[in-house]
Amino acid sequence: MKIQPHRIQKAAVLGAGVMGAAIAAQLANAGIPVLLLDIVLPDNPDRNFLAKQGVQRALKARPAAFMDAGRAALITPGNLEDDLKKLKDADWILEAVIEKLDAKRDLWERVEKVAKKTAIISSNSSGIPMHLQIEGRSEDFQRRFVGAHFFNPPRYLHLLEVIPTPKTDPEVVKTFSEFAETTLGKGVVVANDVPGFVANRIGVYGIVRAMQHMQKASLTPAQVDQLTGPALGRANSATFRTADLSGLDIIYHVANDLGKATPEDEDFTLTPAFRALVEDKKFLGDKTGSGFYKKTKDEKGKTKILNLNLDTFEYEDQGKVKVPAVDAVKGRPLADRVKALYAAEGPEGEFVRGVMNDGFWYAAKMAGNVSNRLQDIDNALKWGFGWEQGPFETMDTLGVQTVIANLEAEGRPLPPLLAAMKASGRQAFYQGEETVTPTGEATKYEAPYFILTDLKKDATRVVKKRAGASVIDLGDGVLLAEWHAKMNALGEDQLRTVQDAHKLVQDMGYAGLVIGNQGENFSAGANLPLILSQAQADEWDELDDAIKQFQQVTTSLRFSPHPTVAAPFGLTLGGGAEFTLHADHVVASAELYMGLVEVGVGLIPGGGGTKEMLLRFTDMQQPNQRVGATLLPAVQRAFELIGTAKVSTSALEARNLGFLRSSDTVAMNKNHILEDAKRQVLALAPGYVQPTPRQDIPVMGDAAIAAIKSALHGMHQGGYITDYDLVVSEQLARVLSGGTGNNRTAKVSEGHLLDLEREAFLTLLGKKGTQQRIDHMLKTGKPLRN
């Protein structure tokens, strides 16, 4: 059966509960019209009440389910009695109803009668085997059926487990996987139709075993969370905070169900203390307000986190929990942290080794059972539970033969995969472009769909390297300027690398340049510690030169003789936003948190960001509005955006705010943006004409300054802004107005606006109020309202 992924243009979600409504919201985020159906409540006159309620729940969800509230209009609420016939228009139908086999079978019988013959049919069930749901359905229906298990919340958790049955057409699996990755932005793992699939089977096992090892080592939940969190390259929520978020009752039921459905009952046996918490019904986690942790407020109204004492079932204020083994590895690379914790002495080391060895042994045992590829197991844990490395990647870090020896020393029988690895003497599961099958035979590594090779590990691509940035060959005549410093803060390495890349493009005949990276965030902005130290040392000439260089590099993206494309994602703040604003084209991750936030540290954007937002909003006006008082709305819009340090909550909102243009590209899958950006460079390169800086930008001069100052003083008198907010805002107003001494019909150049930016930046940096704001931000991570 041949179904093209672009043919999936309309969808239907059956069931408007928490998951169903959230999945519908993610489809709407991707621009897919969705029919959302649920049952009819017998006593409610609104037959679509539950579906409408689901949409409203998604609109109110925090974190937000919608990337833009306007996307909710793509969801059409309905009910399963009156509107089932509308399924004839859906290219993909997903079920998210109650977890009862009979209910699902009854629903599929009704769906088959009305769905079109090319529609892909899916279930979001997390526990009921897919093949059991479709017993009695036609061969054609069974060929088009594939499980689609989303993780909650669907917008933020990257994992989607795709579960074919023995009857599913391979072409349907391929088509749906491509659609899920490209259109919905998911990380797809192909799972076998077994209890728990991949992530829950291994992840819940890990949680259960961590609880058992905690008791043996006489540790507390807070200590365990220190050991099983970021120190091991895992999520901040670690073990017990994850349990609170998920709900202790959910973990209880999943563990019990897995114990009954598999021959591994002992592996999923919960501790007596955990069972007691669930049976009490008051300690179910966030849903009841108390679990392993409880939020409360002190006498000053400040939030405090109390820890549950599992001996007394009373909450205690344990302060900041210190774990020496974790403190000893802070600041070290992940590989060093993992090795040190695995080798640690005392109860902490015993706990870590016990938990990790359990995880290694079970993952190897499940290889070929839950999935037929090792990378699917690794990716499931990374994308579903927030791990930096999966179990097989972690064994590679420690040395596979070392892990095998430790497991044997504990008296464990080796699963077939590890027995084969021992016999072969192979040191790693992943070697270059090669990995192994679940039986230990060498095979080619299949990278996830459309994802570039990890550039950090591919030295053959590196053209030029500095400590904090590199120039990398993306292939097909395109270079990448990649930053790889902490938070990708922008300093000399990053700026010089962009200059290096421009020169290489011209000298070596490349087609163009991408600005992007494979870090956690695109860039959190300028190197504030360096800026503050230079200001305090009165190095004003050096600072002036540095800001000039920064402006030259950001604007070089616009005025180079070759196309440049920015690929921002995650935090794209301050200088990171300014780089993005100057690119010829932007391919942005849908999860884009972009803003010009300099006022929070007492500054204004100094790398062309102020100039660029004024230009954008001015250009949006009709030609006859770009003069005199009619220009004021554009100035005010730029002032409000920068002056309030507004940060987008998605790429869709960044477009609404003006940070992205309507012509820029939004990619739902972050892992695709470098490849998409490369394609955009190649599309722009033929016939590319180098732009020139504009010389005729209309400004309002003193008239705009007066209008903004009047509004500012009213806000100051009303207590809405502080004394120093007023100082910063007046400098911002001066730049956006084109400077003092200009009349309302004046025109200035881009260079003039850049000079005003630089002057304002340096003026503010020399003030005590700004230096206090920067120092406070560096120490606390929070803005100072002085």
Side-chain angles (χ1 to χ4, degrees), residues 25 90 110 151 377 398 408 432 480 509 524 585 595 602 605 666 706 712 745 772:
R110 297 170 63 198
F151 275 61
I377 294 176
L398 294 170
E408 288 187 313
L480 168 73
H585 188 84
V666 174
L712 283 173
T745 60
Q772 288 174 332

Side-chain angles (χ1 to χ4, degrees), residues 40 147 205 268 293 338 346 363 460 478 513 630 651 772:
V40 175
Y205 169 85
F268 292 98
Y293 302 98
V338 169
T460 63
V478 179
L513 176 65
T630 56
Q772 288 174 332

Side-chain angles (χ1 to χ4, degrees), residues 61-223:
R62 294 294 178 269
F66 288 101
M67 295 177 181
D68 175 2
R71 289 293 171 108
L74 287 170
I75 302 177
T76 302
N79 67 77
L80 290 166
E81 292 182 19
D82 304 328
D83 302 309
L84 203 66
K85 59 183 177 295
K86 295 179 182 178
L87 296 183
K88 65 181 176 57
D89 297 322
D91 304 305
W92 176 42
I93 299 168
L94 174 76
E95 165 274 317
V97 301
I98 189 169
E99 287 286 80
K100 291 185 177 179
L101 180 57
D102 288 345
K104 293 180 189 294
R105 283 179 171 171
D106 290 345
L107 181 61
W108 292 137
E109 182 178 2
R110 297 170 63 198
V111 167
E112 185 171 10
K113 294 174 182 176
V114 294
K116 63 182 177 182
K117 298 302 182 184
T118 56
I120 294 176
I121 315 294
S122 300
S123 170
N124 181 58
S125 176
S126 61
I128 298 178
M130 300 299 164
H131 67 276
L132 294 181
Q133 296 187 38
I134 54 174
E135 286 182 352
R137 304 275 54 79
S138 69
E139 289 290 323
D140 177 66
F141 186 93
Q142 293 187 34
R143 282 197 299 271
R144 292 182 286 120
F145 185 92
V146 61
H149 180 220
F150 288 81
F151 275 61
N152 193 31
R155 173 181 168 185
Y156 299 97
L157 285 186
H158 191 52
L159 178 63
L160 174 64
E161 291 176 321
V162 173
I163 308 110
T165 75
K167 297 289 185 69
T168 306
D169 187 326
E171 193 64 35
V172 168
V173 177
K174 180 177 182 295
T175 295
F176 180 70
S177 297
E178 291 178 4
F179 165 76
E181 294 200 28
T182 305
T183 304
L184 299 184
K186 309 310 294 181
V188 169
V189 162
V190 178
N192 293 335
D193 193 11
V194 296
F197 309 130
V198 181
N200 279 341
R201 181 73 167 267
I202 296 175
V204 172
Y205 169 85
I207 292 173
V208 171
R209 296 300 296 168
M211 294 171 187
Q212 295 173 352
H213 283 290
M214 176 185 70
Q215 283 192 329
K216 291 180 185 176
S218 298
L219 298 176
T220 67
Q223 289 172 318

Side-chain angles (χ1 to χ4, degrees), residues 460-481:
T460 63
R461 291 178 178 265
V462 178
V463 179
K464 189 164 186 175
K465 186 175 180 65
R466 295 178 186 270
S470 301
V471 181
I472 292 172
D473 190 337
L474 289 179
D476 300 319
V478 179
L479 288 183
L480 168 73

Side-chain angles (χ1 to χ4, degrees), residues 626-631 698-704 742-746:
R626 298 176 192 168
V627 63
T630 56
L631 193 61
V699 294
M700 287 185 64
D702 293 332
N742 287 318
N743 62 39
R744 62 178 62 207
T745 60

Side-chain angles (χ1 to χ4, degrees), residues 137-425:
R137 304 275 54 79
S138 69
E139 289 290 323
D140 177 66
F141 186 93
Q142 293 187 34
R143 282 197 299 271
R144 292 182 286 120
F145 185 92
V146 61
H149 180 220
F150 288 81
F151 275 61
N152 193 31
R155 173 181 168 185
Y156 299 97
L157 285 186
H158 191 52
L159 178 63
L160 174 64
E161 291 176 321
V162 173
I163 308 110
T165 75
K167 297 289 185 69
T168 306
D169 187 326
E171 193 64 35
V172 168
V173 177
K174 180 177 182 295
T175 295
F176 180 70
S177 297
E178 291 178 4
F179 165 76
E181 294 200 28
T182 305
T183 304
L184 299 184
K186 309 310 294 181
V188 169
V189 162
V190 178
N192 293 335
D193 193 11
V194 296
F197 309 130
V198 181
N200 279 341
R201 181 73 167 267
I202 296 175
V204 172
Y205 169 85
I207 292 173
V208 171
R209 296 300 296 168
M211 294 171 187
Q212 295 173 352
H213 283 290
M214 176 185 70
Q215 283 192 329
K216 291 180 185 176
S218 298
L219 298 176
T220 67
Q223 289 172 318
V224 167
D225 278 353
Q226 288 281 321
L227 289 163
T228 59
L232 272 185
R234 300 183 183 180
N236 285 323
S237 55
T239 300
F240 292 100
R241 181 69 189 119
T242 295
D244 277 0
L245 288 168
S246 302
L248 274 65
D249 54 334
I250 300 298
I251 291 175
Y252 177 92
H253 291 303
V254 171
N256 281 345
D257 289 346
L258 285 171
K260 293 174 184 175
T262 69
E264 303 154 357
D265 184 51
E266 288 187 9
D267 294 330
F268 292 98
T269 300
L270 292 159
T271 63
F274 190 92
R275 290 179 176 275
L277 290 174
V278 174
E279 289 163 5
D280 190 280
K281 296 184 180 179
K282 291 186 300 188
F283 301 96
L284 300 183
D286 285 10
K287 66 176 70 177
T288 58
S290 56
F292 290 104
Y293 302 98
K294 181 178 182 178
K295 284 185 182 179
T296 187
K297 291 188 182 294
D298 61 18
E299 60 277 4
K300 295 180 180 179
K302 186 177 180 181
T303 299
K304 291 174 62 176
I305 305 295
L306 303 180
N307 302 339
L308 182 66
N309 183 319
L310 289 177
D311 293 325
T312 64
F313 281 12
E314 299 290 333
Y315 286 97
E316 301 173 353
D317 183 358
Q318 297 177 359
K320 185 165 183 176
V321 176
K322 289 279 189 180
V323 178
V326 173
D327 292 340
V329 300
K330 278 185 178 174
R332 293 163 64 179
L334 176 60
D336 291 349
R337 299 199 306 269
V338 169
K339 290 175 183 176
L341 289 171
Y342 190 68
E345 297 181 353
E348 297 165 358
E350 290 175 10
F351 170 82
V352 171
R353 278 187 299 281
V355 167
M356 292 182 75
N357 284 342
D358 276 351
F360 298 149
W361 176 81
Y362 195 68
K365 181 181 175 183
M366 289 297 101
N369 182 341
V370 297
S371 180
N372 298 325
R373 303 192 309 173
L374 303 194
Q375 61 261 42
D376 278 339
I377 294 176
D378 278 339
N379 286 335
L381 274 299
K382 290 192 292 185
W383 295 339
F385 284 86
W387 295 13
E388 290 185 52
Q389 291 184 331
F392 298 107
E393 292 169 325
T394 306
M395 282 189 266
D396 281 358
T397 295
L398 294 170
V400 174
Q401 297 302 327
T402 298
V403 171
I404 290 172
N406 287 343
L407 292 175
E408 288 187 313
E410 293 179 357
R412 296 175 186 256
L414 294 180
L417 171 58
L418 294 183
M421 293 291 285
K422 178 184 178 182
S424 69

